[in-house]
Amino acid sequence: MSEEPMKLKFLGKIKITGDMIVVTGMHIGASKETVKIGGIDSPVVRDPLTDLPYIPGSSLKGKLRSLSEKALEKDLVRISSKPDINVHVCTDKHCEICRLFGSSKKDEDTKDQKNIPSRLIVRDMLLSNDKELLNIDTGLPYTEWKFENSIDRISSAANPRQIERVPAGARFEFELVYDAEEEAELEEDITRIQMALKLLEQDALGGHGSRGYGKVKFENIRYTGYPKKYYISGDESLILENKSEEEIISVEDIISSFTGEKNA
Ligand SMILES: [Zn+2]
């Protein structure tokens, strides 16, 4: 079997930015190691330097991926039984999920590990509110806490837990960076990202979504195009961005600019 020579393609990058508003209290849990002693049962993840709650990019990316897998009815494999986690991974580098979110899997025929690099980077999201607005009188910086009862189904004993939440009204800046590699897949990839954001608005981010936690809304979504020529020449006038109220650069403008200038 002859090895296909690897050829990297790069058309440029598209940055997608905007605000994510927390509509109902959101809980993205911190790992046990980072929990302060004497704290609440189930705290939220915080930036260790500022102590402000933040949203790890991996939490948003994982959610966008799982919602997309479901919507596109992809085959899932179990990667963990406790907790039960099923994800889609494959070795097809044109798979609409794996090319966007990345994949790492052993090829069933050759037993080689195949990695499909993710075209999408999801940055950590930082709180952008006026901090005072969120300083609710709970003794916890910028968050609220809520008691949730889980009932033991056998003994009927209640097991109340304090769950810390980022309150409704919190606003986070989000930033996604998409690597444009294949002209033929560019428009579909962008449509898939938009689909995932819309699906998330009808779903929940973080824990306890079925109890009403974690409804979010995206606002002020903007697209900025950085064509390959910009990186090579350093010429900032090549950046495709909204320069004024009148001159609106749409994502369609960026896509057609990326796909039309291949040989320019
Ligand atoms: Zn796949």
Side-chain angles (χ1 to χ4, degrees):
M1 235 185 340
S2 66
E3 190 76 5
E4 228 180 284
M6 180 129 140
K7 193 170 181 300
L8 293 172
K9 289 179 77 176
F10 179 61
L11 304 171
K13 288 176 184 277
I14 299 175
K15 189 166 83 176
I16 306 164
T17 54
D19 300 315
M20 194 191 79
I21 291 112
V22 174
V23 181
T24 62
M26 180 181 64
H27 174 83
I28 295 182
S31 69
K32 294 275 184 288
E33 297 81 67
T34 61
V35 172
K36 288 175 187 163
I37 292 168
I40 203 159
D41 297 331
S42 186
V44 298
V45 59
R46 290 179 184 276
D47 181 320
L49 286 181
T50 63
D51 213 24
L52 290 173
Y54 79 103
I55 301 172
S58 55
S59 297
L60 177 61
K61 189 177 183 184
K63 189 70 198 191
L64 296 176
R65 179 182 191 131
S66 68
L67 291 169
S68 302
E69 289 168 353
K70 195 173 170 188
L72 300 175
E73 299 177 352
K74 288 285 181 179
D75 294 331
L76 304 180
V77 290
R78 176 171 286 185
I79 56 161
S80 157
S81 55
K82 266 186 187 176
D84 188 14
I85 300 172
N86 297 282
V87 296
H88 165 80
V89 275
C90 74
T91 53
D92 173 6
K93 63 181 179 159
H94 295 293
C95 163
E96 56 207 324
I97 293 290
C98 296
R99 74 189 192 212
L100 201 51
F101 295 100
S103 145
S104 182
K105 189 179 191 255
K106 269 206 173 75
D107 189 285
E108 270 154 34
D109 301 323
T110 65
K111 303 288 176 216
D112 288 342
Q113 185 76 21
K114 290 237 169 150
N115 295 308
I116 304 172
S118 173
R119 291 179 185 170
L120 190 66
I121 289 175
V122 180
R123 307 271 193 219
D124 287 351
M125 289 187 279
L126 302 177
L127 199 61
S128 63
N129 289 75
D130 182 345
K131 308 299 182 281
E132 299 307 311
L133 287 177
L134 288 165
N135 205 343
I136 297 172
D137 198 14
T138 57
L140 293 165
Y142 321 113
T143 55
E144 61 184 3
W145 56 263
K146 196 168 180 288
F147 268 110
E148 293 290 354
N149 252 321
S150 62
I151 307 293
D152 186 308
R153 285 183 208 288
I154 295 164
S155 68
S156 296
N159 173 30
R161 283 162 57 82
Q162 279 177 307
I163 297 177
E164 188 183 23
R165 312 199 303 178
V166 174
R171 186 177 279 264
F172 292 85
E173 286 169 16
F174 75 90
E175 181 179 308
L176 312 177
V177 182
Y178 167 76
D179 271 7
E181 294 173 0
E182 292 284 345
E183 287 179 34
E185 292 166 356
L186 178 49
E187 192 172 352
E188 190 178 49
D189 281 349
I190 294 295
T191 309
R192 291 284 168 261
I193 296 168
Q194 292 169 331
M195 174 192 83
L197 295 175
K198 281 183 203 140
L199 287 167
L200 179 53
E201 288 188 326
Q202 307 297 338
D203 202 276
L205 186 60
H208 310 283
S210 63
R211 293 179 190 245
Y213 288 40
K215 179 177 162 72
V216 297
K217 195 167 102 184
F218 293 98
E219 283 184 358
N220 306 319
I221 298 179
R222 290 177 300 276
Y223 298 87
T224 311
Y226 300 87
K228 178 169 137 181
K229 277 199 287 182
Y230 154 71
Y231 293 103
I232 291 168
S233 69
D235 180 355
E236 290 189 5
S237 71
L238 295 171
I239 299 173
L240 297 143
E241 61 187 335
N242 294 346
K243 292 187 174 81
S244 67
E245 292 286 322
E246 299 81 52
E247 190 197 0
I248 301 296
I249 300 270
S250 68
V251 67
E252 290 78 14
D253 295 334
I254 296 172
I255 291 170
S256 56
S257 152
F258 275 25
T259 53
E261 64 176 19
K262 188 191 173 193
N263 301 312

